[in-house]
Amino acid sequence: MPHAAPQRLAALLGDPVHHSLSPRIHNHWFARYRIPGIYLALRVAERDLAAALALLPRLGFLGFNVTMPHKQRALELVDRLDAVARRVGAVNTVLVMEDGALLGRNTDGEGFLASLKTARPAWRADAAPVVLLGAGGAARAIACALLDAGVPELRLVNRSRARAEALAADLADSRIRITSWRERSKALSGAGLLVNATSLGMHGCAELELDLDALPRAAVVADIVYAPRCTALLRRAQARGHPVVEGLGMLLYQAVPGFAHWGGVVPEVDERLWSLVAGGGDSGGNRG
Ligand SMILES: NC(=O)c1ccc[n+]([C@@H]2O[C@H](COP(=O)([O-])OP(=O)(O)OC[C@H]3O[C@@H](n4cnc5c(N)ncnc54)[C@H](OP(=O)(O)O)[C@@H]3O)[C@@H](O)[C@H]2O)c1
């Protein structure tokens, strides 16, 4: 019997990982492109991350996604970092290069932007200010991507002002304006895009309290929370006639660069994938 083609191996490293949608995404692409491969969710405790990143490539793994609580620690464990991961200060994708070196990348920001541009192709980065709620890990990546895309002004609004100030200091860009959390509804005036990058609105968290009255009707409203798929913020925005963007799209598009490496094909975020990960969920209908 001829030998089967070698399996391409990739994995998510995190703790916990049982809830993750990443195996569904990557295994869908392996199947769709008929590439012999498997993507696993590996529960790796903090103390074991260095050992896992040293051993798994030697066992044939071509790369990893890295999630809580490893995104910062992975920065120190890889051999090289791309410019975005360095600026964001976190790694979400580790690629095993041909020479065995580990390249740390952060694809959350490009995933967000790809999702936004696909769902709302009429949105123009340079047209109007953006309001970004949050200054945590995801917000950092999104802030970098929006600034790189050419937004004229980034209004950063976070509950703890010190964290927003730290992000602004790290990114050192004169287009960033910090607005206090108390004044968040006023910050919406004249904006072309509102992004919720806090965990508010997520299952198990409080709802985001935000008065949308000052937001121009044409402004796009994006939520990066994806459980529930259509958040209360997106429902309220839709009721006011805003184009909306669901958080699930960011999750799907941030996976593309990793699969391009370990699958060898730039994969498409297709309808089948949406229905696989959404599980027939309550879509906000953001895909035009
Ligand atoms: N769609 C995707 O692909 C994707 C990717 C990554 C993350 N996410 C989602 O994005 C959310 C944030 O993730 P993260 O990794 O950035 O988390 P994180 O680093 O823990 O940051 C959490 C953010 O939410 C804010 N926040 C939390 N509770 C709050 C409250 N009661 N009132 C006001 N602000 C509050 C925090 O403000 P403080 O700084 O004041 O604490 C901070 O800005 C999560 O829901 C996560 O599931 C989605």
PDB file of all heavy atoms in Angstrom, residues 68 71 108 133-139 157-161 163 181 196-200 202 205-206 223-226 247-252 254, ligand 1:
ATOM      1  N   MET A  68      -6.090  32.786  25.631  1.00  0.00           N
ATOM      2  CA  MET A  68      -5.949  32.991  27.062  1.00  0.00           C
ATOM      3  C   MET A  68      -5.390  31.737  27.737  1.00  0.00           C
ATOM      4  O   MET A  68      -5.851  30.645  27.408  1.00  0.00           O
ATOM      5  CB  MET A  68      -7.313  33.295  27.669  1.00  0.00           C
ATOM      6  CG  MET A  68      -7.840  34.646  27.283  1.00  0.00           C
ATOM      7  SD  MET A  68      -8.202  35.580  28.756  1.00  0.00           S
ATOM      8  CE  MET A  68      -9.458  34.613  29.544  1.00  0.00           C
ATOM      9  N   LYS A  71      -1.336  34.802  25.616  1.00  0.00           N
ATOM     10  CA  LYS A  71      -1.052  35.730  24.513  1.00  0.00           C
ATOM     11  C   LYS A  71       0.155  36.639  24.771  1.00  0.00           C
ATOM     12  O   LYS A  71       0.853  37.009  23.830  1.00  0.00           O
ATOM     13  CB  LYS A  71      -2.289  36.573  24.200  1.00  0.00           C
ATOM     14  CG  LYS A  71      -3.346  35.812  23.419  1.00  0.00           C
ATOM     15  CD  LYS A  71      -4.504  36.725  23.066  1.00  0.00           C
ATOM     16  CE  LYS A  71      -5.341  36.123  21.957  1.00  0.00           C
ATOM     17  NZ  LYS A  71      -6.333  37.076  21.453  1.00  0.00           N
ATOM     18  N   ASP A 108      -5.414  39.581  15.016  1.00  0.00           N
ATOM     19  CA  ASP A 108      -6.748  40.038  15.443  1.00  0.00           C
ATOM     20  C   ASP A 108      -7.164  41.323  14.721  1.00  0.00           C
ATOM     21  O   ASP A 108      -8.310  41.473  14.314  1.00  0.00           O
ATOM     22  CB  ASP A 108      -6.774  40.279  16.957  1.00  0.00           C
ATOM     23  CG  ASP A 108      -6.989  38.992  17.749  1.00  0.00           C
ATOM     24  OD1 ASP A 108      -7.503  38.019  17.173  1.00  0.00           O
ATOM     25  OD2 ASP A 108      -6.641  38.983  18.942  1.00  0.00           O
ATOM     26  N   LEU A 133     -14.432  51.491  21.913  1.00  0.00           N
ATOM     27  CA  LEU A 133     -14.692  51.254  23.333  1.00  0.00           C
ATOM     28  C   LEU A 133     -13.846  50.071  23.783  1.00  0.00           C
ATOM     29  O   LEU A 133     -13.965  48.976  23.220  1.00  0.00           O
ATOM     30  CB  LEU A 133     -16.175  50.928  23.561  1.00  0.00           C
ATOM     31  CG  LEU A 133     -17.204  51.938  23.056  1.00  0.00           C
ATOM     32  CD1 LEU A 133     -18.620  51.437  23.350  1.00  0.00           C
ATOM     33  CD2 LEU A 133     -16.990  53.305  23.697  1.00  0.00           C
ATOM     34  N   GLY A 134     -12.988  50.300  24.782  1.00  0.00           N
ATOM     35  CA  GLY A 134     -12.145  49.228  25.295  1.00  0.00           C
ATOM     36  C   GLY A 134     -10.679  49.537  25.078  1.00  0.00           C
ATOM     37  O   GLY A 134     -10.308  50.278  24.154  1.00  0.00           O
ATOM     38  N   ALA A 135      -9.855  48.974  25.948  1.00  0.00           N
ATOM     39  CA  ALA A 135      -8.399  49.128  25.815  1.00  0.00           C
ATOM     40  C   ALA A 135      -7.706  47.851  26.253  1.00  0.00           C
ATOM     41  O   ALA A 135      -6.554  47.867  26.653  1.00  0.00           O
ATOM     42  CB  ALA A 135      -7.925  50.323  26.645  1.00  0.00           C
ATOM     43  N   GLY A 136      -8.435  46.725  26.166  1.00  0.00           N
ATOM     44  CA  GLY A 136      -7.858  45.427  26.503  1.00  0.00           C
ATOM     45  C   GLY A 136      -7.088  44.863  25.312  1.00  0.00           C
ATOM     46  O   GLY A 136      -6.760  45.592  24.360  1.00  0.00           O
ATOM     47  N   GLY A 137      -6.817  43.559  25.362  1.00  0.00           N
ATOM     48  CA  GLY A 137      -6.004  42.934  24.317  1.00  0.00           C
ATOM     49  C   GLY A 137      -6.586  43.098  22.927  1.00  0.00           C
ATOM     50  O   GLY A 137      -5.876  43.459  21.981  1.00  0.00           O
ATOM     51  N   ALA A 138      -7.873  42.843  22.766  1.00  0.00           N
ATOM     52  CA  ALA A 138      -8.488  42.925  21.435  1.00  0.00           C
ATOM     53  C   ALA A 138      -8.508  44.371  20.951  1.00  0.00           C
ATOM     54  O   ALA A 138      -8.241  44.652  19.776  1.00  0.00           O
ATOM     55  CB  ALA A 138      -9.897  42.351  21.489  1.00  0.00           C
ATOM     56  N   ALA A 139      -8.823  45.298  21.855  1.00  0.00           N
ATOM     57  CA  ALA A 139      -8.864  46.713  21.468  1.00  0.00           C
ATOM     58  C   ALA A 139      -7.497  47.197  21.000  1.00  0.00           C
ATOM     59  O   ALA A 139      -7.393  47.999  20.061  1.00  0.00           O
ATOM     60  CB  ALA A 139      -9.357  47.566  22.648  1.00  0.00           C
ATOM     61  N   VAL A 157     -12.075  55.071  24.329  1.00  0.00           N
ATOM     62  CA  VAL A 157     -12.906  55.233  25.516  1.00  0.00           C
ATOM     63  C   VAL A 157     -12.825  53.947  26.323  1.00  0.00           C
ATOM     64  O   VAL A 157     -13.208  52.887  25.825  1.00  0.00           O
ATOM     65  CB  VAL A 157     -14.385  55.476  25.135  1.00  0.00           C
ATOM     66  CG1 VAL A 157     -15.175  55.909  26.362  1.00  0.00           C
ATOM     67  CG2 VAL A 157     -14.513  56.509  24.023  1.00  0.00           C
ATOM     68  N   ASN A 158     -12.322  54.035  27.536  1.00  0.00           N
ATOM     69  CA  ASN A 158     -12.209  52.833  28.361  1.00  0.00           C
ATOM     70  C   ASN A 158     -12.607  53.146  29.791  1.00  0.00           C
ATOM     71  O   ASN A 158     -12.423  54.257  30.272  1.00  0.00           O
ATOM     72  CB  ASN A 158     -10.769  52.296  28.331  1.00  0.00           C
ATOM     73  CG  ASN A 158     -10.697  50.875  28.856  1.00  0.00           C
ATOM     74  OD1 ASN A 158     -11.445  50.013  28.397  1.00  0.00           O
ATOM     75  ND2 ASN A 158      -9.819  50.618  29.814  1.00  0.00           N
ATOM     76  N   ARG A 159     -13.189  52.122  30.449  1.00  0.00           N
ATOM     77  CA  ARG A 159     -13.622  52.334  31.839  1.00  0.00           C
ATOM     78  C   ARG A 159     -12.449  52.809  32.686  1.00  0.00           C
ATOM     79  O   ARG A 159     -12.545  53.816  33.374  1.00  0.00           O
ATOM     80  CB  ARG A 159     -14.196  51.025  32.387  1.00  0.00           C
ATOM     81  CG  ARG A 159     -14.547  51.085  33.849  1.00  0.00           C
ATOM     82  CD  ARG A 159     -15.075  49.766  34.339  1.00  0.00           C
ATOM     83  NE  ARG A 159     -14.118  48.667  34.140  1.00  0.00           N
ATOM     84  CZ  ARG A 159     -14.320  47.429  34.535  1.00  0.00           C
ATOM     85  NH1 ARG A 159     -15.456  47.102  35.141  1.00  0.00           N
ATOM     86  NH2 ARG A 159     -13.411  46.487  34.344  1.00  0.00           N
ATOM     87  N   SER A 160     -11.345  52.093  32.655  1.00  0.00           N
ATOM     88  CA  SER A 160     -10.194  52.570  33.430  1.00  0.00           C
ATOM     89  C   SER A 160      -9.318  53.420  32.501  1.00  0.00           C
ATOM     90  O   SER A 160      -8.750  52.926  31.525  1.00  0.00           O
ATOM     91  CB  SER A 160      -9.414  51.404  34.046  1.00  0.00           C
ATOM     92  OG  SER A 160      -8.614  50.792  33.091  1.00  0.00           O
ATOM     93  N   ARG A 161      -9.284  54.701  32.820  1.00  0.00           N
ATOM     94  CA  ARG A 161      -8.594  55.654  31.954  1.00  0.00           C
ATOM     95  C   ARG A 161      -7.104  55.337  31.839  1.00  0.00           C
ATOM     96  O   ARG A 161      -6.493  55.520  30.789  1.00  0.00           O
ATOM     97  CB  ARG A 161      -8.795  57.074  32.512  1.00  0.00           C
ATOM     98  CG  ARG A 161      -8.360  58.148  31.531  1.00  0.00           C
ATOM     99  CD  ARG A 161      -8.551  59.545  32.090  1.00  0.00           C
ATOM    100  NE  ARG A 161      -8.004  60.498  31.130  1.00  0.00           N
ATOM    101  CZ  ARG A 161      -8.739  61.179  30.269  1.00  0.00           C
ATOM    102  NH1 ARG A 161     -10.047  61.022  30.236  1.00  0.00           N
ATOM    103  NH2 ARG A 161      -8.165  62.012  29.433  1.00  0.00           N
ATOM    104  N   ARG A 163      -5.632  52.564  31.575  1.00  0.00           N
ATOM    105  CA  ARG A 163      -5.359  51.562  30.539  1.00  0.00           C
ATOM    106  C   ARG A 163      -5.444  52.201  29.146  1.00  0.00           C
ATOM    107  O   ARG A 163      -4.658  51.866  28.261  1.00  0.00           O
ATOM    108  CB  ARG A 163      -6.368  50.422  30.666  1.00  0.00           C
ATOM    109  CG  ARG A 163      -5.824  49.097  30.234  1.00  0.00           C
ATOM    110  CD  ARG A 163      -6.783  48.015  30.644  1.00  0.00           C
ATOM    111  NE  ARG A 163      -6.379  46.714  30.148  1.00  0.00           N
ATOM    112  CZ  ARG A 163      -7.169  45.647  30.159  1.00  0.00           C
ATOM    113  NH1 ARG A 163      -8.388  45.737  30.647  1.00  0.00           N
ATOM    114  NH2 ARG A 163      -6.741  44.501  29.702  1.00  0.00           N
ATOM    115  N   TRP A 181     -14.920  57.425  30.194  1.00  0.00           N
ATOM    116  CA  TRP A 181     -16.004  56.440  30.081  1.00  0.00           C
ATOM    117  C   TRP A 181     -17.364  57.111  30.337  1.00  0.00           C
ATOM    118  O   TRP A 181     -18.360  56.808  29.677  1.00  0.00           O
ATOM    119  CB  TRP A 181     -15.741  55.304  31.067  1.00  0.00           C
ATOM    120  CG  TRP A 181     -16.706  54.169  30.992  1.00  0.00           C
ATOM    121  CD1 TRP A 181     -17.636  53.808  31.922  1.00  0.00           C
ATOM    122  CD2 TRP A 181     -16.840  53.239  29.903  1.00  0.00           C
ATOM    123  NE1 TRP A 181     -18.342  52.711  31.479  1.00  0.00           N
ATOM    124  CE2 TRP A 181     -17.872  52.342  30.251  1.00  0.00           C
ATOM    125  CE3 TRP A 181     -16.198  53.095  28.676  1.00  0.00           C
ATOM    126  CZ2 TRP A 181     -18.284  51.309  29.421  1.00  0.00           C
ATOM    127  CZ3 TRP A 181     -16.603  52.053  27.838  1.00  0.00           C
ATOM    128  CH2 TRP A 181     -17.637  51.180  28.215  1.00  0.00           C
ATOM    129  N   ASN A 196     -17.418  48.184  19.627  1.00  0.00           N
ATOM    130  CA  ASN A 196     -17.371  47.729  21.011  1.00  0.00           C
ATOM    131  C   ASN A 196     -16.325  46.635  21.127  1.00  0.00           C
ATOM    132  O   ASN A 196     -16.519  45.519  20.643  1.00  0.00           O
ATOM    133  CB  ASN A 196     -18.729  47.180  21.479  1.00  0.00           C
ATOM    134  CG  ASN A 196     -18.611  46.602  22.892  1.00  0.00           C
ATOM    135  OD1 ASN A 196     -17.897  47.155  23.742  1.00  0.00           O
ATOM    136  ND2 ASN A 196     -19.270  45.491  23.151  1.00  0.00           N
ATOM    137  N   ALA A 197     -15.199  46.970  21.765  1.00  0.00           N
ATOM    138  CA  ALA A 197     -14.142  45.973  22.007  1.00  0.00           C
ATOM    139  C   ALA A 197     -13.999  45.732  23.506  1.00  0.00           C
ATOM    140  O   ALA A 197     -12.940  45.325  23.979  1.00  0.00           O
ATOM    141  CB  ALA A 197     -12.828  46.425  21.395  1.00  0.00           C
ATOM    142  N   THR A 198     -15.074  46.001  24.264  1.00  0.00           N
ATOM    143  CA  THR A 198     -15.100  45.593  25.675  1.00  0.00           C
ATOM    144  C   THR A 198     -15.788  44.235  25.740  1.00  0.00           C
ATOM    145  O   THR A 198     -16.318  43.747  24.739  1.00  0.00           O
ATOM    146  CB  THR A 198     -15.899  46.586  26.553  1.00  0.00           C
ATOM    147  OG1 THR A 198     -17.294  46.430  26.281  1.00  0.00           O
ATOM    148  CG2 THR A 198     -15.482  48.025  26.308  1.00  0.00           C
ATOM    149  N   SER A 199     -15.806  43.637  26.927  1.00  0.00           N
ATOM    150  CA  SER A 199     -16.540  42.378  27.054  1.00  0.00           C
ATOM    151  C   SER A 199     -18.003  42.608  27.425  1.00  0.00           C
ATOM    152  O   SER A 199     -18.746  41.634  27.612  1.00  0.00           O
ATOM    153  CB  SER A 199     -15.839  41.457  28.044  1.00  0.00           C
ATOM    154  OG  SER A 199     -15.273  42.202  29.081  1.00  0.00           O
ATOM    155  N   LEU A 200     -18.436  43.860  27.494  1.00  0.00           N
ATOM    156  CA  LEU A 200     -19.835  44.144  27.829  1.00  0.00           C
ATOM    157  C   LEU A 200     -20.746  43.659  26.707  1.00  0.00           C
ATOM    158  O   LEU A 200     -20.469  43.882  25.528  1.00  0.00           O
ATOM    159  CB  LEU A 200     -20.027  45.647  28.047  1.00  0.00           C
ATOM    160  CG  LEU A 200     -19.327  46.208  29.280  1.00  0.00           C
ATOM    161  CD1 LEU A 200     -19.410  47.733  29.303  1.00  0.00           C
ATOM    162  CD2 LEU A 200     -19.931  45.627  30.553  1.00  0.00           C
ATOM    163  N   MET A 202     -21.406  40.456  26.357  1.00  0.00           N
ATOM    164  CA  MET A 202     -21.110  39.028  26.201  1.00  0.00           C
ATOM    165  C   MET A 202     -21.987  38.237  27.188  1.00  0.00           C
ATOM    166  O   MET A 202     -22.315  38.751  28.260  1.00  0.00           O
ATOM    167  CB  MET A 202     -19.621  38.818  26.529  1.00  0.00           C
ATOM    168  CG  MET A 202     -19.081  37.473  26.234  1.00  0.00           C
ATOM    169  SD  MET A 202     -17.258  37.528  26.351  1.00  0.00           S
ATOM    170  CE  MET A 202     -17.028  37.416  28.107  1.00  0.00           C
ATOM    171  N   CYS A 205     -21.923  38.708  31.036  1.00  0.00           N
ATOM    172  CA  CYS A 205     -21.444  40.050  31.411  1.00  0.00           C
ATOM    173  C   CYS A 205     -22.620  41.027  31.388  1.00  0.00           C
ATOM    174  O   CYS A 205     -23.659  40.741  30.791  1.00  0.00           O
ATOM    175  CB  CYS A 205     -20.413  40.571  30.414  1.00  0.00           C
ATOM    176  SG  CYS A 205     -18.825  39.800  30.569  1.00  0.00           S
ATOM    177  N   ALA A 206     -22.409  42.180  31.984  1.00  0.00           N
ATOM    178  CA  ALA A 206     -23.435  43.225  31.939  1.00  0.00           C
ATOM    179  C   ALA A 206     -23.592  43.732  30.500  1.00  0.00           C
ATOM    180  O   ALA A 206     -22.714  43.521  29.659  1.00  0.00           O
ATOM    181  CB  ALA A 206     -23.021  44.367  32.855  1.00  0.00           C
ATOM    182  N   ASP A 223     -19.520  45.133  16.730  1.00  0.00           N
ATOM    183  CA  ASP A 223     -19.297  44.559  18.054  1.00  0.00           C
ATOM    184  C   ASP A 223     -18.325  43.415  17.866  1.00  0.00           C
ATOM    185  O   ASP A 223     -18.457  42.654  16.901  1.00  0.00           O
ATOM    186  CB  ASP A 223     -20.623  44.048  18.640  1.00  0.00           C
ATOM    187  CG  ASP A 223     -20.599  44.031  20.155  1.00  0.00           C
ATOM    188  OD1 ASP A 223     -19.518  43.771  20.719  1.00  0.00           O
ATOM    189  OD2 ASP A 223     -21.646  44.274  20.767  1.00  0.00           O
ATOM    190  N   ILE A 224     -17.336  43.268  18.756  1.00  0.00           N
ATOM    191  CA  ILE A 224     -16.458  42.103  18.595  1.00  0.00           C
ATOM    192  C   ILE A 224     -16.898  40.949  19.496  1.00  0.00           C
ATOM    193  O   ILE A 224     -16.391  39.845  19.367  1.00  0.00           O
ATOM    194  CB  ILE A 224     -14.966  42.445  18.790  1.00  0.00           C
ATOM    195  CG1 ILE A 224     -14.627  42.716  20.246  1.00  0.00           C
ATOM    196  CG2 ILE A 224     -14.553  43.604  17.903  1.00  0.00           C
ATOM    197  CD1 ILE A 224     -13.136  42.565  20.511  1.00  0.00           C
ATOM    198  N   VAL A 225     -17.852  41.233  20.376  1.00  0.00           N
ATOM    199  CA  VAL A 225     -18.445  40.136  21.152  1.00  0.00           C
ATOM    200  C   VAL A 225     -19.207  39.247  20.176  1.00  0.00           C
ATOM    201  O   VAL A 225     -19.913  39.746  19.303  1.00  0.00           O
ATOM    202  CB  VAL A 225     -19.404  40.719  22.225  1.00  0.00           C
ATOM    203  CG1 VAL A 225     -20.250  39.616  22.845  1.00  0.00           C
ATOM    204  CG2 VAL A 225     -18.615  41.465  23.296  1.00  0.00           C
ATOM    205  N   TYR A 226     -19.017  37.920  20.270  1.00  0.00           N
ATOM    206  CA  TYR A 226     -19.722  37.036  19.329  1.00  0.00           C
ATOM    207  C   TYR A 226     -20.605  35.996  20.021  1.00  0.00           C
ATOM    208  O   TYR A 226     -21.180  35.131  19.360  1.00  0.00           O
ATOM    209  CB  TYR A 226     -18.735  36.368  18.364  1.00  0.00           C
ATOM    210  CG  TYR A 226     -17.648  35.567  19.024  1.00  0.00           C
ATOM    211  CD1 TYR A 226     -17.871  34.251  19.421  1.00  0.00           C
ATOM    212  CD2 TYR A 226     -16.401  36.137  19.273  1.00  0.00           C
ATOM    213  CE1 TYR A 226     -16.881  33.524  20.040  1.00  0.00           C
ATOM    214  CE2 TYR A 226     -15.397  35.414  19.890  1.00  0.00           C
ATOM    215  CZ  TYR A 226     -15.647  34.108  20.274  1.00  0.00           C
ATOM    216  OH  TYR A 226     -14.652  33.396  20.898  1.00  0.00           O
ATOM    217  N   GLY A 247     -19.342  40.249  15.630  1.00  0.00           N
ATOM    218  CA  GLY A 247     -18.007  39.846  16.074  1.00  0.00           C
ATOM    219  C   GLY A 247     -17.514  38.525  15.506  1.00  0.00           C
ATOM    220  O   GLY A 247     -16.304  38.282  15.444  1.00  0.00           O
ATOM    221  N   LEU A 248     -18.456  37.675  15.088  1.00  0.00           N
ATOM    222  CA  LEU A 248     -18.050  36.373  14.567  1.00  0.00           C
ATOM    223  C   LEU A 248     -17.154  36.505  13.339  1.00  0.00           C
ATOM    224  O   LEU A 248     -16.252  35.688  13.124  1.00  0.00           O
ATOM    225  CB  LEU A 248     -19.312  35.569  14.225  1.00  0.00           C
ATOM    226  CG  LEU A 248     -19.166  34.075  14.081  1.00  0.00           C
ATOM    227  CD1 LEU A 248     -18.526  33.450  15.310  1.00  0.00           C
ATOM    228  CD2 LEU A 248     -20.545  33.451  13.831  1.00  0.00           C
ATOM    229  N   GLY A 249     -17.386  37.520  12.535  1.00  0.00           N
ATOM    230  CA  GLY A 249     -16.570  37.716  11.328  1.00  0.00           C
ATOM    231  C   GLY A 249     -15.100  37.906  11.675  1.00  0.00           C
ATOM    232  O   GLY A 249     -14.209  37.346  11.017  1.00  0.00           O
ATOM    233  N   MET A 250     -14.824  38.672  12.730  1.00  0.00           N
ATOM    234  CA  MET A 250     -13.426  38.887  13.146  1.00  0.00           C
ATOM    235  C   MET A 250     -12.779  37.551  13.519  1.00  0.00           C
ATOM    236  O   MET A 250     -11.630  37.276  13.145  1.00  0.00           O
ATOM    237  CB  MET A 250     -13.402  39.850  14.335  1.00  0.00           C
ATOM    238  CG  MET A 250     -12.049  39.994  15.002  1.00  0.00           C
ATOM    239  SD  MET A 250     -12.133  41.249  16.303  1.00  0.00           S
ATOM    240  CE  MET A 250     -10.585  40.957  17.141  1.00  0.00           C
ATOM    241  N   LEU A 251     -13.541  36.724  14.227  1.00  0.00           N
ATOM    242  CA  LEU A 251     -13.013  35.415  14.636  1.00  0.00           C
ATOM    243  C   LEU A 251     -12.648  34.563  13.418  1.00  0.00           C
ATOM    244  O   LEU A 251     -11.626  33.871  13.407  1.00  0.00           O
ATOM    245  CB  LEU A 251     -14.058  34.688  15.486  1.00  0.00           C
ATOM    246  CG  LEU A 251     -13.592  33.377  16.082  1.00  0.00           C
ATOM    247  CD1 LEU A 251     -12.681  33.627  17.266  1.00  0.00           C
ATOM    248  CD2 LEU A 251     -14.773  32.526  16.515  1.00  0.00           C
ATOM    249  N   LEU A 252     -13.487  34.618  12.391  1.00  0.00           N
ATOM    250  CA  LEU A 252     -13.232  33.814  11.189  1.00  0.00           C
ATOM    251  C   LEU A 252     -12.047  34.372  10.410  1.00  0.00           C
ATOM    252  O   LEU A 252     -11.159  33.620   9.984  1.00  0.00           O
ATOM    253  CB  LEU A 252     -14.475  33.779  10.299  1.00  0.00           C
ATOM    254  CG  LEU A 252     -15.740  33.202  10.954  1.00  0.00           C
ATOM    255  CD1 LEU A 252     -16.914  33.231   9.978  1.00  0.00           C
ATOM    256  CD2 LEU A 252     -15.495  31.783  11.434  1.00  0.00           C
ATOM    257  N   GLN A 254      -9.563  36.342  11.422  1.00  0.00           N
ATOM    258  CA  GLN A 254      -8.240  36.316  12.085  1.00  0.00           C
ATOM    259  C   GLN A 254      -7.575  34.951  11.899  1.00  0.00           C
ATOM    260  O   GLN A 254      -6.361  34.820  12.045  1.00  0.00           O
ATOM    261  CB  GLN A 254      -8.326  36.718  13.569  1.00  0.00           C
ATOM    262  CG  GLN A 254      -9.159  35.827  14.468  1.00  0.00           C
ATOM    263  CD  GLN A 254      -8.489  34.524  14.868  1.00  0.00           C
ATOM    264  OE1 GLN A 254      -7.276  34.478  15.024  1.00  0.00           O
ATOM    265  NE2 GLN A 254      -9.261  33.461  15.037  1.00  0.00           N
TER     266      GLN A 254
HETATM  267  N1  LIG B   1     -14.466  38.453  17.671  1.00  0.00           N
HETATM  268  C1  LIG B   1     -13.243  38.059  17.973  1.00  0.00           C
HETATM  269  O1  LIG B   1     -12.515  37.449  17.181  1.00  0.00           O
HETATM  270  C2  LIG B   1     -12.691  38.414  19.329  1.00  0.00           C
HETATM  271  C3  LIG B   1     -11.295  38.393  19.570  1.00  0.00           C
HETATM  272  C4  LIG B   1     -10.825  38.738  20.831  1.00  0.00           C
HETATM  273  C5  LIG B   1     -11.725  39.080  21.832  1.00  0.00           C
HETATM  274  N2  LIG B   1     -13.066  39.079  21.569  1.00  0.00           N
HETATM  275  C6  LIG B   1     -14.036  39.480  22.614  1.00  0.00           C
HETATM  276  O2  LIG B   1     -13.744  40.820  22.952  1.00  0.00           O
HETATM  277  C7  LIG B   1     -13.993  41.066  24.327  1.00  0.00           C
HETATM  278  C8  LIG B   1     -12.744  41.695  24.967  1.00  0.00           C
HETATM  279  O3  LIG B   1     -11.680  40.763  24.879  1.00  0.00           O
HETATM  280  P1  LIG B   1     -10.192  41.139  25.377  1.00  0.00           P
HETATM  281  O4  LIG B   1      -9.353  39.961  25.094  1.00  0.00           O
HETATM  282  O5  LIG B   1      -9.790  42.475  24.881  1.00  0.00           O
HETATM  283  O6  LIG B   1     -10.440  41.236  26.971  1.00  0.00           O
HETATM  284  P2  LIG B   1      -9.621  42.088  28.048  1.00  0.00           P
HETATM  285  O7  LIG B   1      -8.215  42.281  27.633  1.00  0.00           O
HETATM  286  O8  LIG B   1      -9.931  41.438  29.357  1.00  0.00           O
HETATM  287  O9  LIG B   1     -10.344  43.539  28.019  1.00  0.00           O
HETATM  288  C9  LIG B   1     -11.665  43.700  28.483  1.00  0.00           C
HETATM  289  C10 LIG B   1     -12.157  45.100  28.141  1.00  0.00           C
HETATM  290  O10 LIG B   1     -13.523  45.207  28.546  1.00  0.00           O
HETATM  291  C11 LIG B   1     -13.641  46.289  29.502  1.00  0.00           C
HETATM  292  N3  LIG B   1     -14.656  45.947  30.519  1.00  0.00           N
HETATM  293  C12 LIG B   1     -14.815  44.760  31.138  1.00  0.00           C
HETATM  294  N4  LIG B   1     -15.838  44.850  32.023  1.00  0.00           N
HETATM  295  C13 LIG B   1     -16.315  46.118  31.944  1.00  0.00           C
HETATM  296  C14 LIG B   1     -17.374  46.815  32.601  1.00  0.00           C
HETATM  297  N5  LIG B   1     -18.149  46.224  33.533  1.00  0.00           N
HETATM  298  N6  LIG B   1     -17.583  48.112  32.271  1.00  0.00           N
HETATM  299  C15 LIG B   1     -16.810  48.720  31.324  1.00  0.00           C
HETATM  300  N7  LIG B   1     -15.791  48.119  30.676  1.00  0.00           N
HETATM  301  C16 LIG B   1     -15.555  46.819  30.983  1.00  0.00           C
HETATM  302  C17 LIG B   1     -12.279  46.429  30.109  1.00  0.00           C
HETATM  303  O11 LIG B   1     -12.141  47.711  30.684  1.00  0.00           O
HETATM  304  P3  LIG B   1     -11.061  47.958  31.865  1.00  0.00           P
HETATM  305  O12 LIG B   1      -9.735  48.170  31.174  1.00  0.00           O
HETATM  306  O13 LIG B   1     -11.556  49.186  32.560  1.00  0.00           O
HETATM  307  O14 LIG B   1     -11.073  46.732  32.731  1.00  0.00           O
HETATM  308  C18 LIG B   1     -11.401  46.221  28.865  1.00  0.00           C
HETATM  309  O15 LIG B   1     -11.398  47.370  28.053  1.00  0.00           O
HETATM  310  C19 LIG B   1     -14.401  39.702  24.906  1.00  0.00           C
HETATM  311  O16 LIG B   1     -15.805  39.649  24.948  1.00  0.00           O
HETATM  312  C20 LIG B   1     -13.875  38.700  23.905  1.00  0.00           C
HETATM  313  O17 LIG B   1     -14.657  37.507  23.857  1.00  0.00           O
HETATM  314  C21 LIG B   1     -13.561  38.782  20.351  1.00  0.00           C
END
